[in-house]
Amino acid sequence: MLDDTNPNPNSEDEVYHAERLLANGDFYTGQWLRSLPHGVGKYLWTDGCMYEGEWLNGKTMGKGKFSWPSGATYEGEFKNGFMDGFGTYTGSLGDTYRGEWSMNLKHGLGVKSFANGDYYDGEWRAELQDGQGRYAWKNGNEYVGQWRAGVSHGRGSLIWANGNKYEGGWEDGLPKGNGSFRWADGSLYMGCWSKENGVLQQKGVYYPSASAASPTARDPHDALLAGLGDCRVSQSETVSILPSQKTLNWSGVEAEFLQKQAVWRSGKASYSRRRKSRASMDVFRKSNGHVESLIDAGDGGVLELDGNGEEGNVVGEGVVDEDGRVTTARSPQPIRWSIREIKKQGETISKGHKNYDLMLNLQLGIRHAVGKQSAPTSLDLKASAFDPKEKVWTKFPPEGSKQTPPHQSCDFRWKDYCPLVFRTLRKLFKVDPGDYMISICGNDALRELSSPGKSGSFFYLTNDDKYMIKTVKKSEVKVLLRMLPAYYNHVRAFENTLVTKFFGLHCVKLTGAAQRKVRFVIMGNLFCSEYPIHRRFDLKGSSHGRITDKPEAEIDETTTLKDLDLNFIFRLQRSWFQEFCRQVDRDCEFLEQERIMDYSLLVGVHFSDACQDVVAADGSGDFDSLIEGTPCFPRADMDQFLCDPTRWATIKLGVNMPARVEQIVRGDGESLLIGEPTGEFYDVVLFFGIIDILQDYDISKKLEHAYKSIQYDPTSISAVDPKQYSKRFRDFIYRVYTEDA
């Protein structure tokens, strides 16, 4: 001990300044309380490392600066000895990272400047680029899009300094799936990329630009591979020793830090194993809106960490069961799902299918309509753009014409309704024209779904699940055209609107022997997500006939359940619940004004526990096949995803919404729409929106109302006046959705 300036030696509860020279040569100077650093102080290790900043009961806690002998520094927030929170790391070689940290690892939003001049701005997960981000190379190349485990993975755009550009799907750093390659002269190649026998291959169509040197088809393969060679992601500088690994040499603290280090090392090792096997031995449990993590602490115990990563108690015997789960005596009983791959819905329309020619006609028409149209310059439209007579007919003879290419389908005519309005709507909804064309008109066939309702309409899904194409009746076309000006103003005014997003309204007129008109509308698919939908509900607020006719044994994730099948109450976080109520009111008022009724709230539920609490049908507990088949929160840790609103940039009202559901039970023969709560809660991700908004209260619905009112309770039937329908719908929805207290 060098100095002890306690002004009141008889009081143990006062902070005072002290200097300590420890037995191993380490030195501390700063504020002191009850034989431990507490307040602001500086600690110097004999190897040259130094920490200067805030302390709490002998631990580095709060804001501080850690310096290494190499000259590297970290300045920012600390928690229990770890770099944790917001901080800036400056490496000895010139690397800098400014952003969020979690237990010494870059985790969250952050900006990294590499020593070689490269730059990354975006999301990180456990020290690697993961999520949405932008990487700029020193040579002028730039990638903007999605990342996974440090490489481009998902949707993204790579722009080279020479003007070439690839935009589309990526997997493990290489193009995968639908994408387009555009040369600097404007020529475009649209196709599908894959990796076969270790070699990148593609199939597609070349569109030369007017300024191209030659109309001869060009292959983007060599240009793409050469460009990718110039776009290698730099590696971060390795830190030799981390602040949490530095032992603090005073009584009672060293043992605790050693234990904390052991937990951190085991957690990091577990994460490395998880990246290789995509299976986790960690268990996340949510209780009262707070997420806890259970990590194997050895000796048959399970160490409990709270949502801040802080240590709690050993909560009981930890048992690893045959499904690879850690369970304790306090673990709740989960909803259990059998292991099976979630297959895509529908029947692929291949050659020989009765609607194969219709699909080709649709794709030819979309490619022609979208490809020849220029982007709208303004969101302000003249009244003439909404005129129902504003439509364009185009002939598509099999041999081709000046405006249309030759094709192998039958002779047909194509009609675009209000093309400028729908082109502007696509811009308003942030739909890229190239992506739109690739999704609908790419090499992948559409999938046909049979109608889940009584309308007799057919539904077609694009292969990437982004868009749904629905055949509509002439009366529905008239309703949409009539309400189009009000619809446009509504979706423009309210970005979070829940009403269906319409992207196009078209008609195919087949000529020859099979003369007929097929009208269809292109909409957004509510359930386009990396999360599998385990349950889906179509909710109206009426009870007559509102129950599935399937036996319980046949109900699966593709079954659309109805009001009387509902067995959950959906609980939203307060701010989301308030926004939900405001938007439902706005949307229902809009539909009421347009005399629309018979609409539904379509709800998709992904159970986040389904991946961890699943039991294999054959008892094998094959966790790897489960993860491949049912991805579950792959891009974010549950605690940060649920508890940190600042990380919800990718979440919108009705899209990817974390929530809880409470199970309800309905008594035998009970006709009430809402059952009794059971107190059983589950973490979920919700998807929802208002669909079927093209039915007005016409004469047929008025007659249906009069007829059914004689036979049934008038309040139980769907066909009611729009004002009454809106009130009943809202009353029901506000009982189904509640605030999560």
Side-chain angles (χ1 to χ4, degrees):
M1 181 186 296
L2 297 179
D3 179 42
D4 188 338
T5 56
N6 184 356
N8 188 0
N10 296 323
S11 174
E12 297 182 356
D13 296 325
E14 291 187 9
V15 177
Y16 61 95
H17 180 82
E19 294 183 356
R20 296 286 189 271
L21 180 62
L22 305 173
N24 66 345
D26 292 351
F27 175 73
Y28 173 81
T29 176
Q31 292 177 300
W32 197 263
L33 175 66
R34 292 193 296 271
S35 303
L36 293 171
H38 187 88
V40 178
K42 180 190 296 186
Y43 191 105
L44 292 87
W45 285 267
T46 55
D47 63 1
C49 291
M50 180 179 72
Y51 171 80
E52 184 174 9
E54 296 176 337
W55 299 76
L56 181 66
N57 296 325
K59 303 175 185 178
T60 53
M61 185 86 75
K63 294 184 178 179
K65 181 177 181 179
F66 191 95
S67 305
W68 285 264
S70 63
T73 62
Y74 169 82
E75 188 168 3
E77 294 176 303
F78 286 80
K79 188 180 293 181
N80 288 321
F82 294 87
M83 299 182 287
D84 200 302
F86 191 88
T88 301
Y89 174 85
T90 304
S92 59
L93 301 178
D95 285 13
T96 62
Y97 170 81
R98 177 178 172 81
E100 296 173 309
W101 298 75
S102 178
M103 299 185 77
N104 291 334
L105 303 176
K106 303 177 187 74
H107 192 95
L109 296 174
V111 177
K112 171 84 175 179
S113 297
F114 296 88
N116 65 354
D118 291 355
Y119 177 89
Y120 174 80
D121 183 359
E123 293 180 280
W124 298 75
R125 185 169 186 256
E127 202 66 15
L128 296 171
Q129 295 97 333
D130 206 298
Q132 191 72 21
R134 169 179 168 266
Y135 192 105
W137 284 266
K138 183 181 179 181
N139 58 18
N141 300 337
E142 180 178 297
Y143 172 81
V144 180
Q146 295 173 311
W147 295 75
R148 179 183 291 180
V151 295
S152 50
H153 191 108
R155 299 290 299 178
S157 301
L158 179 56
I159 306 171
W160 285 271
N162 63 7
N164 291 347
K165 176 182 179 180
Y166 170 81
E167 185 171 9
W170 295 82
E171 184 174 279
D172 296 330
L174 292 174
K176 177 67 181 291
N178 290 329
S180 62
F181 185 90
R182 188 181 296 275
W183 283 267
D185 64 7
S187 298
L188 178 67
Y189 181 95
M190 297 176 63
C192 184
W193 272 260
S194 62
K195 190 175 181 181
E196 298 179 15
N197 300 321
V199 179
L200 185 66
Q201 298 184 0
Q202 83 281 335
K203 295 179 181 178
V205 180
Y206 173 70
Y207 298 92
S209 71
S211 60
S214 168
T216 306
R218 298 156 75 180
D219 189 337
H221 185 270
D222 293 340
L224 187 60
L225 283 183
L228 291 174
D230 295 331
C231 298
R232 302 193 181 278
V233 178
S234 298
Q235 300 300 309
S236 298
E237 175 185 341
T238 302
V239 180
S240 58
I241 188 167
L242 294 160
S244 59
Q245 295 173 294
K246 301 297 292 180
T247 303
L248 302 175
N249 293 284
W250 38 74
S251 176
V253 175
E254 179 176 359
E256 186 177 353
F257 260 70
L258 288 174
Q259 183 186 36
K260 182 73 72 174
Q261 289 172 29
V263 172
W264 173 76
R265 287 174 182 143
S266 71
K268 190 174 182 182
S270 170
Y271 179 78
S272 299
R273 291 194 300 272
R274 190 159 67 247
R275 297 204 81 87
K276 294 176 182 177
S277 66
R278 301 189 71 186
S280 171
M281 296 294 290
D282 297 348
V283 177
F284 290 95
R285 182 178 71 238
K286 182 135 188 301
S287 174
N288 297 326
H290 185 67
V291 176
E292 300 164 348
S293 174
L294 304 179
I295 299 179
D296 184 7
D299 299 326
V302 175
L303 180 66
E304 184 177 11
L305 304 182
D306 68 13
N308 297 319
E310 297 186 4
E311 180 182 327
N313 302 315
V314 175
V315 297
E317 292 294 313
V319 180
V320 181
D321 66 14
E322 63 180 7
D323 297 319
R325 298 192 304 272
V326 179
T327 60
T328 74
R330 283 167 43 183
S331 299
Q333 292 297 315
I335 291 180
R336 298 166 101 72
W337 305 85
S338 61
I339 293 179
R340 63 173 178 267
E341 183 178 357
I342 303 293
K343 294 183 179 180
K344 289 189 173 183
Q345 282 185 277
E347 176 188 0
T348 299
I349 305 177
S350 54
K351 197 162 187 177
H353 190 283
K354 63 178 182 179
N355 288 324
Y356 180 71
D357 283 347
L358 179 62
M359 181 190 75
L360 292 182
N361 297 344
L362 188 155
Q363 292 178 322
L364 285 165
I366 293 290
R367 185 181 290 126
H368 171 77
V370 176
K372 74 181 183 66
Q373 296 171 349
S374 58
T377 57
S378 171
L379 296 179
D380 296 321
L381 297 176
K382 296 180 179 179
S384 58
F386 296 95
D387 189 337
K389 297 178 182 178
E390 183 69 17
K391 49 183 177 278
V392 179
W393 279 104
T394 305
K395 292 183 179 180
F396 278 80
E399 65 276 10
S401 67
K402 290 183 179 180
Q403 290 81 29
T404 63
H407 58 85
Q408 298 177 348
S409 182
C410 60
D411 189 6
F412 71 96
R413 296 179 69 194
W414 169 267
K415 183 194 288 188
D416 264 334
Y417 293 92
C418 299
L420 178 58
V421 176
F422 286 102
R423 192 159 74 244
T424 310
L425 279 171
R426 292 194 292 271
K427 179 180 180 180
L428 189 65
F429 294 140
K430 298 179 175 59
V431 173
D432 179 79
D435 286 346
Y436 186 69
M437 267 205 298
I438 289 173
S439 292
I440 301 174
C441 313
N443 294 330
D444 296 315
L446 303 177
R447 306 195 309 276
E448 182 179 79
L449 312 178
S450 59
S451 173
K454 301 177 182 178
S455 65
S457 298
F458 281 89
F459 294 83
Y460 303 92
L461 270 175
T462 58
N463 189 63
D464 58 9
D465 289 333
K466 282 186 177 180
Y467 304 104
M468 181 173 284
I469 302 163
K470 177 187 177 184
T471 61
V472 290
K473 295 177 290 188
K474 185 176 182 179
S475 60
E476 292 176 303
V477 172
K478 288 183 176 179
V479 170
L480 179 53
L481 292 175
R482 173 180 59 76
M483 65 184 283
L484 195 55
Y487 172 85
Y488 180 84
N489 291 332
H490 182 78
V491 297
R492 184 180 179 185
F494 303 110
E495 183 180 2
N496 285 333
T497 181
L498 297 174
V499 298
T500 304
K501 289 181 170 63
F502 293 120
F503 302 115
L505 181 62
H506 312 283
C507 177
V508 169
K509 183 178 181 181
L510 303 176
T511 59
Q515 288 195 13
R516 64 183 177 124
K517 286 184 179 180
V518 181
R519 303 169 181 87
F520 54 89
V521 64
I522 302 177
M523 311 175 290
N525 177 18
L526 271 178
F527 298 154
C528 178
S529 168
E530 62 182 307
Y531 305 125
I533 304 300
H534 296 118
R535 282 291 178 266
R536 55 189 74 200
F537 297 93
D538 182 284
L539 306 175
K540 292 178 181 287
S542 57
S543 59
H544 176 66
R546 300 297 296 163
I547 189 168
T548 184
D549 54 4
K550 274 191 176 184
E552 188 171 349
E554 296 180 15
I555 293 175
D556 61 15
E557 62 275 356
T558 65
T559 304
T560 301
L561 302 172
K562 301 179 183 179
D563 301 64
L564 294 179
D565 301 308
L566 184 65
N567 56 343
F568 296 106
I569 292 175
F570 306 107
R571 301 196 179 276
L572 303 181
Q573 186 263 349
R574 171 177 288 183
S575 59
W576 281 120
F577 177 69
Q578 292 173 345
E579 175 60 24
F580 172 77
C581 293
R582 284 194 294 266
Q583 194 56 55
V584 169
D585 283 341
R586 294 165 182 153
D587 291 340
C588 286
E589 287 167 4
F590 157 69
L591 295 172
E592 183 183 332
Q593 289 169 4
E594 294 302 312
R595 303 291 292 167
I596 302 297
M597 42 77 67
D598 216 19
Y599 45 87
S600 309
L601 185 74
L602 184 64
V603 183
V605 186
H606 168 84
F607 286 90
S608 57
D609 292 333
C611 294
Q612 297 161 8
D613 300 318
V614 72
V615 177
D618 59 0
S620 64
D622 184 352
F623 208 96
D624 286 346
S625 67
L626 163 67
I627 294 295
E628 292 295 339
T630 49
C632 180
F633 287 106
R635 299 277 64 82
D637 287 336
M638 278 292 294
D639 55 348
Q640 298 208 27
F641 188 66
L642 289 167
C643 300
D644 184 0
T646 63
R647 298 180 59 82
W648 291 3
T650 60
I651 302 170
K652 289 182 61 179
L653 187 67
V655 180
N656 290 332
M657 288 193 64
R660 293 200 304 165
V661 296
E662 182 178 5
Q663 203 160 9
I664 59 176
V665 292
R666 187 176 284 110
D668 294 337
E670 186 175 353
S671 61
L672 296 176
L673 290 176
I674 304 295
E676 290 296 322
T678 63
E680 295 286 335
F681 291 90
Y682 301 96
D683 294 320
V684 298
V685 180
L686 294 181
F687 303 81
F688 51 83
I690 298 175
I691 63 168
D692 295 338
I693 63 169
L694 298 181
Q695 179 60 61
D696 63 352
Y697 196 51
D698 58 11
I699 186 63
S700 65
K701 285 296 177 180
K702 291 176 182 178
L703 290 173
E704 180 185 343
H705 172 76
Y707 175 74
K708 288 186 176 180
S709 295
I710 299 172
Q711 295 181 304
Y712 310 104
D713 178 359
T715 63
S716 70
I717 61 178
S718 294
V720 295
D721 176 86
K723 186 172 184 178
Q724 182 184 345
Y725 192 96
S726 173
K727 182 181 185 305
R728 184 180 65 187
F729 178 81
R730 280 188 269 185
D731 289 345
F732 174 64
I733 294 302
Y734 294 153
R735 293 174 64 199
V736 172
Y737 280 78
T738 64
E739 181 181 331
D740 191 351

